[in-house]
Amino acid sequence: MSNCAIRFKNISKKYDTVTALDLVNLEINDHITTALVGESGSGKTTLLRLVNGLMQPSGGQVEIFGDAIDYEKLPDMRKKMGYAVQGGGLFPHMTVYQNITIMAKLENWHETRIKERADYLIELVNLQKDLLDRFPHELSGGQRQRVSLCRALMLNPSLLLLDEPFSALDPITKGYIHEEFVKLQKAESRAILLVTHDMEEAVKLADNIVIIKKGKVIQNGKVEEIIASPKNEYVSNLLDKVTD
Ligand code: ADP
Ligand code: MG
C-alpha cells in the first residue's frame, strides 16, 4: 500500500466527443521512476494533469499516496508535487533565481534555507551561477530545462511530474541533462512520473514503463520485461527506435 504513489482507478476522461482516457487502472510506485510512453495524442498529458488536479476525470478516481484527491485542497496537495513541462514553463518576468525560489518564498521559508536548497539544486543540475540573474528568454533550451527542474524540486516534493521535459533539446544537450537527471534520482528518492514519446529516453531513465495508446494502457512493467517481451506491434515499434 505505502509503496503506491499514484493510483488511477477506472479513470476515464472525455473532451466533448474525444475519449482521451478509457478506463485506466494503474499504480505508479513510490521511490522509482516510471516512464509513460505513447505516440502523440495517446493521452499522456491528460493522465499527468489528472494527477496534479489541473483536470478532473470524467469518471473514476485518482489517489495520491493512498488518499483520493480533494479538489478543495489542491494548493496543499501540490506542495508535495513538482511539475515541469517542455520548454520549462518558466515565469517570463522573473529571473532564473526568482523562478527557482518562488515556491519556497510563498511558503515563507527562511532566506538561509531557501539559498541552501537553491544552491544545492543548481549545483546538482550543473546550472552556471552567472545565469541566475538572467530572464528565461536569455537562456538556451537546455538551461531553461535545468531551471525548470530546480523549480519543480525546490520544496523537495515526494512526487515529481515531468511532461516531455527534454523533448525539444538537441541530442548532445539531452545527453548531459539525462546524466544530471540520473544524479538527481540518486541524490533524492521520490516517485517520478516521466511522460515521453521517446522510448530510448524511457529505457535510459526509468525503472518501470507504462505504454499507452488511444487512452488505454497497453503494457506496464519493468523496463527489462518490456524489452524482453513487448506485448504487441505498437510496443515493438516503439522499441525499434531504441538503438542500444
Ligand atoms: P499526449 O500528451 O499523449 O499527446 P493528450 O493527453 O494531450 O495526449 O491528448 C489526448 C487526446 O485528447 C488527443 O486526441 C487530444 O487531441 C485530445 N485533447 C487533449 N486536450 C484537449 C482539450 N483541451 N480539448 C479537446 N481535446 C483535447
Ligand atoms: Mg502531451
Side-chain angles (χ1 to χ4, degrees):
M1 276 306 232
S2 61
N3 195 35
C4 183
I6 311 168
R7 181 175 290 120
F8 298 96
K9 284 161 105 173
N10 298 317
I11 288 294
S12 65
K13 179 67 191 179
K14 292 187 178 71
Y15 301 103
D16 296 323
T17 53
V18 180
T19 300
L21 295 172
D22 191 4
L23 285 178
V24 171
N25 282 289
L26 181 64
E27 289 184 10
I28 305 299
N29 287 349
D30 199 2
H31 306 299
I32 63 166
T33 298
T34 302
L36 181 61
V37 188
E39 63 192 10
S40 179
S42 54
K44 304 180 298 294
T45 294
T46 301
L47 202 61
L48 207 63
R49 293 176 134 235
L50 288 172
V51 177
N52 62 13
L54 276 170
M55 266 180 332
Q56 295 194 30
S58 314
Q61 193 177 59
V62 182
E63 291 175 6
I64 309 295
F65 296 110
D67 295 317
I69 294 179
D70 182 345
Y71 293 94
E72 308 288 304
K73 293 185 182 154
L74 288 181
D76 275 344
M77 186 190 75
R78 290 207 185 114
K79 285 173 204 165
K80 290 186 288 185
M81 294 184 192
Y83 181 54
V85 298
Q86 185 178 331
L90 301 171
F91 302 117
H93 57 289
M94 288 187 194
T95 65
V96 165
Y97 190 76
Q98 286 168 338
N99 263 284
I100 292 173
T101 55
I102 178 73
M103 293 308 292
K105 277 222 167 71
L106 293 175
E107 284 300 293
N108 293 313
W109 280 24
H110 193 278
E111 202 58 45
T112 327
R113 187 178 171 208
I114 293 180
K115 188 166 183 314
E116 263 178 31
R117 178 69 180 158
D119 284 350
Y120 171 74
L121 292 170
I122 287 161
E123 169 96 39
L124 203 64
V125 305
N126 273 336
L127 189 70
Q128 299 147 253
K129 291 269 194 318
D130 57 326
L131 300 177
L132 295 178
D133 291 326
R134 289 201 196 169
F135 289 91
H137 75 271
E138 299 170 312
L139 304 177
S140 71
Q143 290 164 343
R144 267 198 288 272
Q145 252 6 113
R146 288 179 168 93
V147 176
S148 176
L149 271 180
C150 289
R151 186 177 66 175
L153 290 166
M154 187 66 201
L155 298 184
N156 201 1
S158 20
L159 182 54
L160 180 62
L161 307 171
L162 302 170
D163 197 349
E164 312 236 16
F166 314 128
S167 295
L169 304 177
D170 65 86
I172 293 174
T173 308
K174 197 186 280 194
Y176 285 128
I177 295 209
H178 281 168
E179 280 172 36
E180 278 125 35
F181 185 79
V182 170
K183 231 165 63 181
L184 210 140
Q185 287 170 312
K186 286 191 184 134
E188 298 181 335
S189 166
R190 60 170 55 87
I192 303 176
L193 184 54
L194 168 71
V195 163
T196 177
H197 62 263
D198 177 357
M199 188 64 118
E200 189 158 357
E201 180 168 271
V203 168
K204 206 159 153 195
L205 301 182
D207 306 285
N208 286 4
I209 293 182
V210 176
I211 299 189
I212 71 167
K213 181 188 181 183
K214 292 186 179 153
K216 284 187 162 70
V217 174
I218 301 294
Q219 192 170 7
N220 173 17
K222 293 199 170 81
V223 171
E224 311 81 72
E225 292 167 4
I226 306 256
I227 292 176
S229 41
K231 200 159 174 179
N232 58 26
E233 212 178 320
Y234 181 74
V235 184
S236 318
N237 284 340
L238 288 170
L239 281 166
D240 279 347
K241 292 170 196 140
V242 182
T243 46
D244 61 322

